[in-house]
Amino acid sequence: MVAILSLMVVMVFMMLGEWVSTRSRAYVPSVFITALLFLVGFWTIVPKNIVPAASFGTAFIQITQAVLLVHMGTLMDLKLLLKQWRAVVIALSGVVGTVVLTMGIGRLLFDWHTIVASVPPLTGGLVAAFLMTAGLKAQHITALVAFPVAMFVMHSMLGYPLTAWMLKRESRRLLQVRHVDVTVATADSATSATVQTTAQLPVCPLPTVPAKVKSVQPQLRHWQLPAAYDTSAFMLFKVAAVTGLAEWTAQLAHGTVNQYIICLVFGVIAHQLGFLEDAVLEKAGVFHWLMYGLLAYIFANLNIVKISMLSGILIPIVTLIVLGVLGMWIASSLLARPLGFSREMAFASALTALFGFPADYIVTHEVTEIMGSTAEEKQYLLDQMLPKMLVGGFATVSVASVIIASIFLKIL
């Protein structure tokens, strides 16, 4: 009975977040509302262990995150992913801008230990927050333990809506460009037809274009069984096989490349070879369950945050957040035009440092669902924005944040 009630409460928080996001047309992302509900719930009547009680424990997460990233690879094109080095540069520049501004101006306003304990979570979200918390406890600096977690809570509340706003502005720009391209192509076709008619050229049927010429995507090899045997279990077996191969490769690399980046790349390769279907976990019917479980596990970390913790350190936290986000905006804006990004897309890529995966995927997907009026427009927006957001998030949260937190722990 406890497990069912716990699951019900977790799903209510997820459901309300989605409803608010839909009602606000993604101006208020679902992850923001869900995080807020978990936080208030932990402050009032919700048990601290509600998430593991709902079956979303450590073992579940060890499987989920890697498997989901392989799934994300089935949503992307390999060439498109490899072109995202610009997103990596912009995201890392945002991290540099954050560190420079907070360590520069922030040092004039607050003491050294406050700055050092608070800045890493601004450059890597949850990962850096818990690295710093563990490091502070190990060094017995208990007075500052609250800062990293409080920073994560506060900047997430700003980061989710701000990122959604940037992505909506970028979506409008992309759709305008797309509509102009379609209009120009239509006008060119009409002009050609008019010229041909005026010249009274003989009308003949257009030659049929072979399917291989029509298709922009390369023809994939099919590793599929007959439909009767191509079951959800078979799809999950293939995903597990690719995930296992990716993690084994990551172990051979001895951490040189983050294991989750390797999972994403292996997912892309398996999809390009035709071994994994498009959106494979959605076809297997488990995608939303895994995603909700991962989100719940992340939000469960809010159970250590107390009202007294936030109220006592609110001013330095808010000030450093403003400085950090301003540093991201300045750095990403300077590189946007040289690297072929709009300022909105560059800033959104830099903002992934505040939360990373899976929030970057969810916010992007919610925005495209709202902004695209047809399935083609939604897919177009996803193709343009999702790879930049995912790769930017990996560069900051999975790589840069670990390095920065390790350095800051040494200079406490």
Side-chain angles (χ1 to χ4, degrees):
M1 186 65 177
V2 173
I4 294 298
L5 289 176
S6 299
L7 179 63
M8 182 183 71
V9 173
V10 169
M11 289 300 111
V12 164
F13 289 172
M14 299 290 177
M15 174 192 74
L16 292 175
E18 292 177 345
W19 285 3
V20 172
S21 176
T22 301
R23 184 66 178 174
S24 66
R25 294 184 57 82
Y27 276 111
V28 182
S30 64
V31 284
F32 168 71
I33 296 300
T34 303
L36 192 61
L37 289 171
F38 269 103
L39 189 61
V40 174
F42 288 138
W43 286 347
T44 52
I45 61 173
V46 174
K48 305 291 186 183
N49 66 337
I50 189 170
V51 171
S55 79
F56 304 128
T58 304
F60 176 87
I61 297 305
Q62 287 176 345
I63 297 172
T64 299
Q65 190 158 2
V67 165
L68 279 172
L69 287 168
V70 170
H71 166 82
M72 296 305 163
T74 67
L75 306 177
M76 299 181 190
D77 179 79
L78 182 59
K79 293 181 180 179
L80 190 64
L81 183 64
L82 294 176
K83 290 179 180 178
Q84 299 312 318
W85 64 269
R86 296 178 181 86
V88 173
V89 172
I90 288 177
L92 293 178
S93 73
V95 170
V96 173
T98 295
V99 173
V100 170
L101 218 59
T102 51
M103 296 291 287
I105 298 177
R107 185 66 183 88
L108 302 175
L109 304 174
F110 308 108
D111 66 87
W112 173 253
H113 283 163
T114 298
I115 299 293
V116 174
S118 304
V119 169
L122 262 175
T123 66
L126 187 63
V127 175
F130 281 91
L131 283 174
M132 290 303 298
T133 299
L136 289 167
K137 288 180 179 178
Q139 296 187 34
H140 305 289
I141 310 177
T142 55
L144 298 176
V145 168
F147 275 82
V149 178
M151 176 62 80
F152 167 72
V153 173
M154 296 298 295
H155 77 53
S156 296
M157 292 182 178
L158 173 65
Y160 296 148
L162 185 56
T163 303
W165 184 45
M166 289 294 107
L167 291 178
K168 293 190 77 170
R169 289 171 61 91
E170 175 67 2
S171 296
R172 292 192 190 96
R173 186 191 69 82
L174 289 171
L175 290 176
Q176 287 176 356
V177 171
R178 185 172 187 269
H179 292 159
V180 168
D181 290 344
V182 170
T183 302
V184 170
T186 304
D188 289 344
S189 299
T191 301
S192 299
T194 302
V195 171
Q196 186 176 11
T197 303
T198 303
Q200 296 183 348
L201 294 175
V203 178
C204 59
L206 293 174
T208 302
V209 181
K212 290 184 179 179
V213 177
K214 287 182 181 179
S215 176
V216 177
Q217 298 293 334
Q219 294 296 314
L220 302 178
R221 293 179 61 189
H222 294 285
W223 305 62
Q224 298 176 349
L225 296 176
Y229 299 96
D230 193 17
T231 62
S232 295
F234 179 56
M235 294 180 193
L236 289 173
F237 162 74
K238 291 192 291 183
V239 172
V242 174
T243 306
L245 183 60
E247 294 200 337
W248 177 69
T249 304
Q251 290 178 357
L252 291 180
H254 300 291
T256 305
V257 181
N258 184 271
Q259 64 172 332
Y260 296 130
I261 297 178
I262 295 178
C263 286
L264 179 70
V265 172
F266 272 51
V268 173
I269 294 172
H271 176 246
Q272 292 292 296
L273 294 175
F275 184 68
L276 294 180
E277 297 88 339
D278 295 334
V280 60
L281 291 182
E282 292 185 35
K283 290 184 178 179
V286 299
F287 171 74
H288 291 97
W289 176 256
L290 296 176
M291 184 64 76
Y292 288 140
L294 179 58
L295 278 175
Y297 182 81
I298 291 173
F299 294 140
N301 291 294
L302 299 175
N303 64 8
I304 66 173
V305 179
K306 298 179 175 60
I307 297 178
S308 58
M309 178 191 300
L310 291 180
S311 61
I313 57 180
L314 192 60
I315 292 177
I317 292 295
V318 171
T319 304
L320 291 173
I321 289 173
V322 171
L323 290 174
V325 172
L326 180 61
M328 287 182 185
W329 179 78
I330 293 172
S332 61
S333 296
L334 290 175
L335 289 179
R337 180 171 293 182
L339 293 179
F341 276 48
S342 67
R343 288 187 176 181
E344 291 82 3
M345 190 69 248
F347 191 26
S349 297
L351 285 169
T352 56
L354 300 181
F355 39 82
F357 179 83
D360 49 8
Y361 170 83
I362 294 172
V363 173
T364 307
H365 197 272
E366 286 180 349
V367 169
T368 58
E369 284 293 315
I370 294 295
M371 299 302 293
S373 56
T374 64
E376 290 77 12
E377 286 186 353
K378 293 175 183 178
Q379 189 60 49
Y380 170 74
L381 293 176
L382 273 179
D383 290 344
Q384 295 295 318
M385 298 191 299
L386 185 59
K388 298 180 178 67
M389 294 295 288
L390 287 179
V391 173
F394 291 136
T396 54
V397 174
S398 300
V399 181
S401 65
V402 177
I403 296 172
I404 291 173
S406 300
I407 295 173
F408 274 50
L409 283 172
K410 294 178 181 178
I411 63 176
L412 268 172

